[in-house]
Amino acid sequence: MWGSSTPILNSTVNANITGWSRQLADRITNGGILSTLTRSYSSEPPDKYDPPAPFRKPGARRYGWVNKLYGGGVLPRSDKPIRSLPAYKPKDSWNRKRALFGQNDYIDILGDGDIHPVELITGPKWLIGFKGNELQRLVRRAKIQGSQMRYLYPTKYHQMWKRIRFLNKKYNMKRSKRVR
Amino acid sequence: MLSKKLHSCRFDANDICRISSALTKILNVTAKRQVHDSSFDTSHELLQTDSGPVVPSRPLPLIIQKMDYPSRFAPPKQAWIESLGTIEDEKLGTIDLHPEIFGTYPRIDILHRNIVWQRNYKRISHAKTKSRAEVQGGGRKPWPQKGLGRARHGSIRSPIWVGGGRALGPRGPKSYFYMLPRHMRVLGLRTALSCKFAQNDLHIVDSLEIPSDDPAFIEELLDTRFWGFSALFVDDTDIMPRNISLALSKVPQFNLMPVYGLNVYSMLKHETLVLTLAALEKIQQKILHQMHKTSLDRSFKNERVRY
């Protein structure tokens, strides 16, 4: 309102007011006293940002804020591939391995009785048909492969025996140590 | 009632004679009672036509009621004998199933234990981390105990150091092996078969012969009969007929298995189970043997070490 005049006032001033009031009204409209008092620096016309009250005035908001979100268009360094998560590939539930999983597990019951499912397991020789904690597994490995390992893989052999000694003390000579 | 149901079936009298004579030969080998083959029954009404040969007015069903060791407590279950020769279902007759194998109580906990066993007993995990003793280096004390103002350390490979060993990580190849008691595995098979039968997912066919080796035939067959998305075809030997082997090799959801390959996990993975008559005979015989034998199992001994 300061530094500007309402259109209603303008129209009424020109129509009805005379004399001294008229001079005052002219000064207001031409930006005389009140414009110097308000000190508006904008170059736009005074009624450009003059909305009907009581609504919000339009105009520049958050002035000086730079939008850092990607709004489309060519990116800098477009030759470089954009890194992202790999595309989702659902697992094939019916590939050969998964479709026939569990086959022959009951071969000692439904077969001739000469094969046991343990014989179908593949893996390290000292673990087939055996389950134990770490110490038991290492001792079994030493029994089965120890003589070979001593000359073929001496470092591994040495580390295995260090571990056996350590675990033996841990499991058998200490209080409240969990065996795993 | 049975004859009324079979009235709409269309097949040649010669086919029936051929099938039933072949079956009689197979089944009489182990049967205690004679197989009742109604094709030799002379009490049927025969149409006497002027022009052509004698044709039976209604089809001749195959009723197999033999049971090696019938249950004393429950009557046998009955299943249709179907055919894979045409796309539409053709019921050739009925067969009696042992109630202790196909009519046991559905023990879901037993099924669960069997499946967990199947998943884990073969499992060997190779996960391994180095301990502080195995990581290269770290023998020397990095700096003196006192005087520097730094924290005290004995080795650069201790678990609190970056690049140090792992204190309680996975150690070496580890196995999860164990064996379920044999009677529990047998009960698992019986429960799985009973559940499949009770939910109408078990189908018994005379043989796995199909007319063409095109996978479209089998796919359309399963589609028409509403047998499900996946099917497991079980025969008694591991040598299968040519056409079905070629057709099913193209479709991953349809799988062929011999009787010795049957297991609880596969039965539950595939929606439908299709057994041939010979496979059914063998399964019943094996399971009944396991249920009623008195000799101990000495085939596998744990802790067996070969030096």
Side-chain angles (χ1 to χ4, degrees):
Chain A
M1 275 284 270
W2 298 106
S4 67
S5 50
T6 57
I8 301 162
L9 189 61
N10 267 336
S11 57
T12 49
V13 159
N14 294 330
N16 300 325
I17 299 168
T18 55
W20 174 83
S21 320
R22 181 63 189 269
Q23 278 183 6
L24 183 63
D26 281 339
R27 275 184 185 163
I28 288 167
T29 48
N30 297 330
I33 301 160
L34 286 173
S35 60
T36 54
L37 282 174
T38 54
R39 273 182 266 153
S40 62
Y41 296 116
S42 69
S43 53
E44 280 101 329
D47 57 348
K48 184 171 164 91
Y49 298 109
D50 194 11
F55 303 105
R56 203 170 86 151
K57 281 187 201 170
R61 298 274 158 194
R62 297 168 76 184
Y63 182 76
W65 173 73
V66 174
N67 184 8
K68 290 184 179 169
L69 297 173
Y70 174 57
V74 175
L75 288 166
R77 295 184 209 156
S78 54
D79 296 335
K80 211 171 166 184
I82 297 166
R83 292 168 61 187
S84 59
L85 283 174
Y88 168 66
K89 270 190 309 180
K91 68 176 180 189
D92 184 13
S93 305
W94 292 98
N95 66 11
R96 184 64 62 89
K97 212 168 144 185
R98 289 198 184 105
L100 297 173
F101 180 81
Q103 192 178 24
N104 304 333
D105 283 346
Y106 293 73
I107 200 165
D108 56 333
I109 296 167
L110 295 170
D112 294 330
D114 51 355
I115 307 174
H116 197 274
V118 166
E119 292 165 53
L120 304 170
I121 303 172
T122 51
K125 276 187 221 156
W126 70 93
L127 286 179
I128 291 169
F130 174 82
K131 181 180 173 185
N133 62 41
E134 200 195 337
L135 180 59
Q136 289 164 344
R137 279 181 268 138
L138 286 172
V139 163
R140 189 174 163 88
R141 188 177 182 187
K143 260 190 202 174
I144 293 170
Q145 288 190 339
S147 47
Q148 268 192 316
M149 280 171 80
R150 192 174 170 199
Y151 299 106
L152 293 178
Y153 308 103
T155 311
K156 229 180 208 173
Y157 176 80
H158 173 63
Q159 279 172 352
M160 188 171 75
W161 273 103
K162 274 203 323 184
R163 186 79 186 165
I164 288 171
R165 275 181 230 117
F166 166 74
L167 288 173
N168 177 47
K169 282 187 279 179
K170 178 183 168 168
Y171 293 162
N172 300 324
M173 299 176 189
K174 298 189 190 297
R175 287 170 177 272
S176 66
K177 288 289 177 190
R178 195 161 72 88
V179 170
R180 199 153 29 125
Chain B
M1 235 168 74
L2 180 67
S3 55
K4 276 185 198 165
K5 280 182 189 171
L6 292 172
H7 194 65
S8 56
C9 290
R10 288 168 273 110
F11 43 79
D12 198 8
N14 290 330
D15 292 334
I16 279 296
C17 292
R18 208 165 4 97
I19 293 165
S20 48
S21 61
L23 284 165
T24 330
K25 276 183 218 158
I26 295 165
L27 296 168
N28 264 331
V29 169
T30 53
K32 289 228 154 156
R33 277 165 38 195
Q34 192 68 17
V35 174
H36 170 66
D37 198 347
S38 54
S39 61
F40 297 120
D41 204 337
T42 49
S43 63
H44 298 302
E45 304 156 30
L46 300 175
L47 270 178
Q48 290 285 347
T49 54
D50 298 328
S51 53
V54 166
V55 171
S57 62
R58 56 178 172 81
L60 311 165
L62 206 68
I63 300 167
I64 301 170
Q65 285 169 337
K66 74 139 197 76
M67 196 76 75
D68 278 342
Y69 300 98
S71 168
R72 285 182 289 145
F73 311 108
K77 300 281 177 189
Q78 288 193 316
W80 291 109
I81 303 172
E82 293 160 30
S83 165
L84 291 177
T86 55
I87 287 172
E88 260 87 49
D89 213 346
E90 275 194 61
K91 302 217 187 306
L92 305 172
T94 61
I95 185 164
D96 283 1
L97 305 174
H98 201 287
E100 280 173 38
I101 299 172
F102 290 92
T104 49
Y105 187 81
R107 287 286 302 271
I108 312 293
D109 62 318
I110 295 282
L111 287 178
H112 173 260
R113 285 189 74 165
N114 272 265
I115 287 166
V116 166
W117 170 75
Q118 280 194 267
R119 263 201 239 141
N120 284 334
Y121 88 99
K122 286 177 288 216
R123 182 180 168 203
I124 291 173
S125 155
H126 292 271
K128 183 170 183 175
T129 52
K130 289 192 187 330
S131 67
R132 65 181 288 174
E134 287 159 2
V135 176
Q136 198 67 24
R140 179 175 60 209
K141 193 169 171 62
W143 46 76
Q145 180 84 355
K146 297 182 78 62
L148 286 179
R150 300 197 67 173
R152 50 194 181 181
H153 290 293
S155 137
I156 56 162
R157 301 303 187 198
S158 117
I160 58 177
W161 282 65
V162 168
R166 192 75 193 238
L168 294 166
R171 290 297 306 168
K174 177 178 168 176
S175 71
Y176 295 80
F177 171 78
Y178 68 105
M179 285 303 292
L180 273 185
R182 194 172 266 229
H183 72 270
M184 206 171 279
R185 289 191 288 141
V186 170
L187 182 57
L189 284 169
R190 286 163 54 199
T191 312
L193 289 165
S194 306
C195 291
K196 283 287 177 207
F197 177 71
Q199 294 180 323
N200 300 322
D201 289 327
L202 181 74
H203 300 279
I204 297 165
V205 295
D206 53 342
S207 80
L208 292 181
E209 302 276 355
I210 55 172
S212 83
D213 58 4
D214 191 14
F217 175 83
I218 275 280
E219 279 174 358
E220 214 187 312
L221 188 146
L222 262 87
D223 219 15
T224 316
R225 300 188 192 189
F226 301 109
W227 278 10
F229 168 75
S230 49
L232 185 64
F233 296 84
V234 180
D235 204 356
D236 65 329
T237 53
D238 41 19
I239 298 165
M240 307 287 178
R242 176 191 175 273
N243 280 348
I244 200 157
S245 312
L246 289 169
L248 300 194
S249 64
K250 310 263 174 42
V251 191
Q253 299 92 1
F254 306 149
N255 291 296
L256 281 166
M257 251 187 212
V259 162
Y260 62 75
L262 191 62
N263 60 91
V264 175
Y265 190 98
S266 295
M267 279 200 268
L268 265 65
K269 185 171 172 80
H270 296 79
E271 282 183 35
T272 323
L273 181 64
V274 180
L275 303 175
T276 55
L277 280 170
L280 174 71
E281 178 76 16
K282 206 164 176 183
I283 288 167
Q284 289 195 116
Q285 183 212 328
K286 297 280 180 193
I287 291 179
L288 285 169
H289 173 66
Q290 290 295 331
M291 282 162 67
H292 298 289
K293 72 177 174 116
T294 51
S295 59
L296 282 173
D297 259 336
R298 297 217 183 272
S299 60
F300 170 69
K301 210 178 133 193
N302 212 343
E303 297 299 305
R304 188 170 52 191
V305 172
R306 286 194 203 91
Y307 292 88

